[in-house]
Amino acid sequence: MHFGAGIFGLTGGVKIHTNPSRDSNFFNLSVNDGGFGGIETAGVEFGGRWVFKDGARFGLHYQIGIAGVISIAPEMEDQVYDGNAPDASLVMGIGFSW
């Protein structure tokens, strides 16, 4: 299970790894809140980690998938989607992990 918070929102979910290694590929089932109530999505992603040095813990974390819109504030829908938000969209993430 995972939970995270950032400047613009929150996320939580479950990662299902393809083998016992913490560096294995994974499927991520998650719920995201962008803009603290601005938009809420639920999605499934596939990702993994690329560790820079054998035996090290520090590496690059990446994932890509699709997320369905659960709810969206009218103001955000107007600003981001010109008043017509899609039912789902492509999502991706990249960052460092240890």
Side-chain angles (χ1 to χ4, degrees), residues 39-86:
I39 185 170
E40 295 172 355
T41 63
V44 61
E45 299 156 304
F46 179 78
R49 282 185 71 215
W50 176 54
V51 180
F52 300 127
K53 182 179 168 187
D54 286 342
R57 295 185 63 141
F58 186 72
L60 186 69
H61 176 97
Y62 54 88
Q63 59 196 55
I64 188 166
I66 190 162
V69 176
I70 297 170
S71 69
I72 186 167
E75 303 83 25
M76 181 169 272
E77 187 171 23
D78 288 340
Q79 285 180 330
V80 177
Y81 298 107
D82 200 25
N84 190 19

Side-chain angles (χ1 to χ4, degrees), residues 20-41:
S21 169
R22 67 178 267 135
D23 296 329
S24 69
N25 291 332
F26 59 83
F27 292 94
N28 183 33
L29 307 173
S30 65
V31 176
N32 300 294
D33 181 288
F36 296 103
I39 185 170
E40 295 172 355
T41 63

